[in-house]
């Protein structure tokens, strides 16, 4: 019933061009539907319309003819670009494995070709993974990662062609408009601006060259070599065309992880695959910005004292006066983050600086916005213990004022309106008394005044903006309360119209087995810990049930569901006869900085002191929860957590199933582990290792691994198994040939084996 209610509550607006009106489809029982037409300015909603009634209502209201024959689910988005003038990604020359990256990117692919396009992601092993097709005139949005490679293919007549697009490494959203010129590489459509406009600046054999309008070519660089070439995608020319910055780099080291595909589908013999996979402590790519005077055709000497030992550099760009180039410097170890200004005389200065004794969470909280006059910067920082926004004067290099303040946090920025000097942003914890993970939309002035919470309702919110940004469609819900959707004014948050009401009563009347929200204090006796409890469908309060925790304690996010959904994955486990719990302990993300810092050099903690206390206190008032039978399961970081639970808290957790776990952080991908465990690699990595501490393991453990896991090196699981062998431990191990990351939970066989294992130890065997 949950999926039916979600479908019938969904508001997918189809905005009428040049109006503040939209219509949407309402799903009804038995596959029926109707339509509603909304006029934002009048605040009216006309529902109960069939197709003909909607056509007539639209013509009457807006004077427009609605042609259903040309409409489909992907109605044109009027906010999409018409060209690639503002495209942030790059075009690649050859297919290479997509890199492991920390930051997600939303990319909209727009098909303006004369043919259907095929979209494929190039994975970490350089294999193409199909993502479907994009019809002519339509758009397709994907969630990818910075630097990931996408192949776009098409065929006009008998002439096939393909395009390789790399997602931006410096932004979190992009749009690519593909027309026939771009697809077939006509009229210099794929060339970067620095190779189309004069002066042409380009890389040849690793060196930097310049070409004048007369065709004269001259080499400008002298510091390059085959080991330290210039990057042709990192050339930034000042607007007055007098100077340019080009990035020279030392490539990352080669570190190949070898995977054996034991049972390929196309041959009898096994196959070997090698993927580039940096691990903590490896040498990363080192970028070095170089400044050039284009009039003299010479490099201007610069001092790199302020940006030595980088983890990464990020381009910000030239100021409007063309006398300073700016970039973001993230030092290896993630304890120093700077915005550096490089003037045309070669001098470098600090515009913004963040210092942390633990880590700067660049992978989820980094935000910067330079105003159009290039004199101010909106900057996100946790310096006061919470993630907030600050306004910088980057001409003088100082804070002008703190924009947001309080024991809550900014999660992301939705809109910046420089004309009105206002910011709309997503925040968590801003409403006292609510679950602090619930997301709300708020607005504030650049100077920090007139902070206004736009959304209203005790739940987590999501919203869609009108094309003119005057209105938003706000939907909120909780795990125990289905969605309600209202139309709001974006400046004040006032309700214009209720679009869809909550159907909670319908659920209650159906004897719905609602998930229960539960919170109590954590290990410190003060900080609240939030989670949910799910009972089996045939729950009997007179019985005692084993407790099963679905765990994932990765510090990059929180993982307890907040919005209404079917929770089918969790209910599946509960319906096997468990009290299913899911919660977020200290060390996970989107609370205070102190809450998050618990994970620093301490991933073995995984919030277990909070988890154990939470489960015990929940059971204290729920006699049907059996504290003598507690188990857990998880994959990836959750697999590591399962191992740590039986090593460090084997007196509480009796059984665990660990799928594709990163059981030693030295064996896992570099970015994720150095973000939380630091650099250089030290004893903290050993302390956090399940492998090193395998002799301390208690209880019953199941290990699951696939031989084609590109995400976490399968050897991490094998080494954990080897350590248990040496320690004389008894455990169960499942190898899934051809299995990729998460194969223990996303394959039928893996789920069957997990459920049988947990059932045997938590239900079939009587506790002592």
């Amino acid at each position: 019933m949950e999926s039916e209610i979600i479908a019938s509550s969904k508001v997918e607006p189809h905005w009428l061009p040049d109006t503040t009106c939209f219509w949407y489809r309402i799903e009804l029982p038995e596959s029926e539907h109707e339509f509603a037409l909304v006029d934002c300015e009048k605040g009216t909603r006309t529902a109960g319309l069939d197709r003909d009634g909607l056509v007539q209502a639209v013509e009457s209201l807006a004077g427009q003819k609605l042609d259903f024959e040309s409409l489909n689910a992907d109605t044109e988005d009027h906010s999409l670009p018409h060209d690639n003038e503002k495209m942030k990604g790059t075009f690649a020359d050859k297919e290479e494995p997509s890199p492991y990256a920390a930051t997600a990117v939303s990319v909209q692919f727009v098909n303006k070709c004369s043919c259907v396009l095929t979209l494929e992601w190039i994975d970490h092993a350089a294999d193409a993974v199909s993502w479907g097709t994009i019809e002519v005139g339509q758009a397709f949005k994907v969630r990818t990662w910075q630097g990931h490679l996408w192949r776009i293919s098409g065929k006009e007549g008998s002439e096939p062609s393909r395009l390789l697009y790399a997602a931006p490494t410096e932004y979190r959203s992009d749009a690519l408009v593909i027309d026939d010129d771009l697809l077939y590489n006509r009229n210099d459509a794929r060339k970067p601006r620095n190779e189309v406009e004069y002066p042409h600046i380009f890389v040849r054999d690793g060196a930097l060259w310049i070409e004048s309008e007369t065709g004269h070519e001259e080499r400008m660089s002298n510091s390059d070599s085959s080991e330290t070439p210039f990057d042709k995608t990192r050339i930034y020319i000042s607007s007055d065309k007098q100077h340019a910055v080009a990035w020279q780099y030392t490539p990352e080291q080669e570190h190949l992880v070898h995977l054996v595909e034991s049972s390929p589908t196309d041959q009898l013999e096994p196959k070997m695959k090698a993927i580039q996979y940096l691990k903590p402590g490896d040498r990363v790519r080192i970028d070095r910005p170089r400044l050039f005077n284009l009039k003299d055709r010479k490099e201007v000497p610069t001092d790199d004292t302020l940006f030595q030992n980088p983890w990464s550099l990020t381009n910000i760009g030239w100021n409007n006066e063309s006398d300073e180039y700016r970039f973001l410097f993230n030092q290896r170890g993630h304890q120093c983050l700077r915005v550096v200004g490089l003037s045309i005389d070669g001098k470098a200065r600090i515009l913004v600086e963040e210092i942390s004794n633990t880590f700067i969470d660049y992978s989820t909280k980094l935000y910067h916005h330079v105003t159009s006059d290039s004199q101010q910067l909106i900057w996100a920082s946790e310096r006061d213990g919470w993630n907030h926004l600050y306004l910088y004067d980057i001409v003088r290099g100082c804070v002008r004022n703190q924009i947001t303040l309080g024991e809550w946090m900014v999660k992301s920025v939705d809109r910046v309106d420089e004309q009105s000097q206002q910011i709309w942003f997503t925040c968590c914890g801003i409403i006292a008394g609510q679950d602090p993970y619930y997301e709300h939309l708020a607005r504030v002035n650049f100077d920090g005044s007139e902070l206004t919470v736009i959304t209203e309702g005790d739940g987590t919110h999501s919203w869609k903006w009108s094309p003119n940004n005057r209105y938003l469609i706000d939907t909120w819900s909780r795990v125990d309360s289905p969605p309600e959707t209202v139309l709001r004014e974006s400046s004040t948050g006032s309700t214009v119209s209720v679009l869809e009401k909550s159907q909670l009563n319908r659920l209650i009347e159906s004897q719905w087995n609602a998930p229960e929200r539960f919170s109590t204090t954590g290990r410190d006796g003060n900080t609240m810990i939030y989670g949910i409890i799910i009972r089996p469908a045939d729950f009997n309060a007179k019985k005692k049930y084993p407790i099963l925790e679905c765990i994932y304690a990765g510090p990059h996010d929180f993982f307890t569901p907040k919005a209404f959904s079917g929770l089918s994955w969790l209910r599946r486990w509960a319906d096997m006869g468990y009290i299913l719990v899911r919660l977020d302990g200290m060390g996970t993300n989107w609370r205070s900085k102190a809450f998050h810092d618990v994970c620093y050099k301490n991933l073995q903690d995984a919030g277990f002191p909070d988890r154990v206390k939470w489960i015990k206190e929940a059971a204290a008032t729920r006699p049907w929860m059996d504290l003598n039978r507690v188990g857990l399961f998880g994959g990836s970081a959750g697999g590591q957590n399962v191992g740590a639970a039986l090593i460090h808290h084997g007196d509480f957790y009796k059984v665990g199933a660990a799928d594709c776990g990163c059981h030693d952080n030295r064996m896992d991908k570099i970015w994720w582990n150095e973000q939380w465990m630091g650099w250089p690699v030290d004893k903290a990595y050993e302390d956090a290792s399940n492998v090193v501490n395998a002799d301390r393991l208690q209880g019953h453990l199941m290990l699951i691994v696939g031989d084609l896991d590109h995400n976490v090196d399968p050897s991490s699981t094998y080494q954990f198994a080897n350590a248990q062998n040496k320690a004389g431990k008894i455990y169960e191990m499942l190898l899934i040939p051809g299995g990729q990351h998460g194969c223990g939970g996303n394959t039928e066989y893996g789920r069957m084996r997990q459920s049988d294992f947990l059932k045997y130890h938590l239900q079939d065997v009587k506790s002592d």
Side-chain angles (χ1 to χ4, degrees), residues 45-287:
R45 174 185 178 271
T46 305
L49 301 171
D50 59 14
R51 176 191 282 204
D52 292 337
L54 177 63
V55 171
Q56 294 173 10
V58 167
E59 190 166 4
S60 174
L61 179 66
Q64 298 181 14
K65 180 68 174 177
L66 193 62
D67 183 6
F68 266 93
E69 300 305 319
S70 63
L71 290 174
N72 55 50
D74 296 318
T75 300
E76 181 182 359
D77 185 342
H78 299 284
S79 66
L80 290 175
H82 299 287
D83 54 41
N84 291 319
E85 182 71 21
K86 296 183 179 180
M87 187 192 80
K88 306 177 186 75
T90 58
F91 300 119
D93 296 326
K94 61 179 180 179
E95 289 188 6
E96 296 178 326
S98 286
Y100 293 88
T103 306
V105 182
S106 173
V107 178
Q108 189 93 274
F109 294 99
V110 184
N111 183 0
K112 291 197 173 182
C113 293
S114 55
C115 61
V116 175
L117 296 176
T118 299
L119 186 64
E120 297 167 292
W121 170 58
I122 307 302
D123 70 10
H124 302 306
D127 294 327
V129 180
S130 175
W131 274 63
T133 60
I134 311 174
E135 297 295 322
V136 175
Q138 298 304 308
F140 189 84
K141 181 181 285 188
V142 302
R143 183 180 185 269
T144 184
W145 297 87
Q146 290 184 341
H148 277 208
L149 201 64
W150 291 81
R151 179 202 292 167
I152 303 107
S153 306
K155 186 176 182 181
E156 183 181 33
S158 60
E159 182 186 1
S161 186
R162 64 176 51 176
L163 167 72
L164 293 174
Y165 163 85
T169 58
E170 300 162 347
Y171 300 90
R172 301 195 179 195
S173 64
D174 198 13
L176 175 65
V177 179
I178 307 114
D179 59 17
D180 288 336
D181 280 349
L182 186 63
L183 181 63
Y184 293 97
N185 200 17
R186 302 166 182 162
N187 302 318
D188 294 331
R190 299 185 190 178
K191 280 192 174 183
R193 189 172 301 173
N194 59 277
E195 293 185 22
V196 176
E197 299 177 354
Y198 287 100
H200 289 175
I201 301 177
F202 59 96
V203 175
R204 177 186 293 160
D205 297 327
L208 194 70
W209 289 71
I210 186 169
E211 180 188 8
S212 67
E213 292 188 52
T214 63
H216 175 70
E217 295 181 348
E218 187 174 347
R219 176 171 173 162
M220 291 196 294
S221 62
N222 295 310
S223 60
D224 55 88
S225 69
S226 58
E227 291 78 26
T228 56
F230 281 85
D231 185 342
K232 70 175 185 178
T233 68
R234 294 283 186 266
I235 299 173
Y236 307 101
I237 304 173
S238 62
S239 59
D240 66 2
K241 301 186 184 301
Q242 298 299 302
H243 294 84
V245 168
W247 289 16
Q248 188 180 13
Y249 70 99
T250 302
E252 67 186 29
Q253 74 172 78
E254 182 180 75
H255 187 150
L256 298 179
V257 167
H258 298 279
L259 303 176
V260 177
E261 185 177 5
S262 62
S263 309
T265 57
D266 58 346
Q267 66 182 49
L268 181 62
E269 292 296 319
K271 292 180 179 179
M272 176 76 78
K273 287 189 175 184
I275 58 174
Q276 172 68 356
Y277 189 103
L278 294 190
K279 296 182 178 181
D282 285 349
R283 190 187 73 240
V284 299
R285 167 174 162 152
I286 303 295
D287 287 308

Side-chain angles (χ1 to χ4, degrees), residues 433-452:
Q434 289 190 12
D435 185 321
Y437 295 98
Y438 289 166
E439 294 185 5
H440 284 272
L441 179 69
R443 176 184 56 77
V444 70
N445 293 338
F446 279 19
D447 64 5
S449 63
E450 297 184 18
L451 174 65
T452 304

Side-chain angles (χ1 to χ4, degrees), residues 65 88 93 174 207 294 297 320 373 381 415 420 438 473 495 593 607 683:
K65 180 68 174 177
K88 306 177 186 75
D93 296 326
D174 198 13
L294 301 185
R297 307 291 202 261
N320 293 356
D373 61 7
S381 169
R415 287 183 55 220
S420 66
Y438 289 166
I473 297 167
T495 300
K593 176 61 172 161
K683 188 177 180 299

